[in-house]
Amino acid sequence: MIVRPLSAEDRRQCQPLWDGYNLFYDRPNLAAEITESAWARFLDPGERMHAAVAELDGRIVGIVHYLYHRSTTSVEDVCYLQDLFTAPEARGQGVGRTLIEYVYAAAAKSGSRRVYWQTHEANPARKLYDRVAGVTPFRRYVKELA
């Protein structure tokens, strides 16, 4: 398995994974403008948002998106692993773990001392997450402003 930064040429293979991720989180009709904006950010070297892909036998089978931000609890930026998705046929082959470890290494290299993420309580990937990170008791509150 190869994990590497996303490139513009990956769009065709990544689109079904992006769509599957959004369908999993009940966003099947995500506006095209949002997808285009995300891709522009992933490919902009000046952005704090990053993306990587996992390839197995020359085919992209997983995606991960992560970003860095300041924190009141750290001098260094922290890393938020925002999206992680593995092709259904590649699950159980270590793709998710390898992508998470890639983010850990990228964050450490950038000087970040923490990587964190959130997931739905019914996400079956929590079995993996429980093995690679600690879970906290915090709840997420959201107020949509538009």
Side-chain angles (χ1 to χ4, degrees), residues 32-44:
E33 173 187 23
I34 294 171
T35 296
E36 295 309 316
S37 176
W39 268 84
R41 291 173 180 164
F42 298 151
L43 298 172
D44 180 349

Side-chain angles (χ1 to χ4, degrees), residues 114-128:
R114 181 182 323 127
V115 175
Y116 73 101
W117 64 92
Q118 58 191 4
T119 193
H120 192 279
E121 63 186 356
N123 186 343
R126 285 184 57 205
K127 292 175 191 155
L128 166 64

Side-chain angles (χ1 to χ4, degrees), residues 122-135:
N123 186 343
R126 285 184 57 205
K127 292 175 191 155
L128 166 64
Y129 302 161
D130 288 344
R131 290 193 304 270
V132 300
V135 66

Side-chain angles (χ1 to χ4, degrees), residues 18 25 54 76 91 95 120 142-143 145:
W18 173 258
Y25 281 110
E76 304 83 8
R91 293 184 184 148
V95 177
H120 192 279
V142 176
K143 169 67 174 160
L145 300 176

Side-chain angles (χ1 to χ4, degrees), residues 4 6 9 28 55 63 66 71 84 96 135 139-140:
R4 60 170 176 76
L6 177 82
E9 294 77 29
E55 284 184 322
I63 55 174
Y66 58 101
S71 172
L84 175 69
V135 66
R139 297 195 177 257
R140 177 178 178 234

Side-chain angles (χ1 to χ4, degrees), residues 70-134:
R70 297 189 188 281
S71 172
T72 59
T73 62
S74 174
V75 172
E76 304 83 8
D77 285 350
V78 296
C79 180
Y80 176 55
L81 192 160
Q82 187 167 14
D83 308 318
L84 175 69
F85 191 77
T86 300
E89 66 277 8
R91 293 184 184 148
Q93 298 180 41
V95 177
R97 176 186 291 271
T98 303
L99 287 166
I100 291 169
E101 289 172 353
Y102 176 91
V103 173
Y104 286 169
K109 184 177 179 181
S110 79
S112 183
R113 296 179 55 148
R114 181 182 323 127
V115 175
Y116 73 101
W117 64 92
Q118 58 191 4
T119 193
H120 192 279
E121 63 186 356
N123 186 343
R126 285 184 57 205
K127 292 175 191 155
L128 166 64
Y129 302 161
D130 288 344
R131 290 193 304 270
V132 300

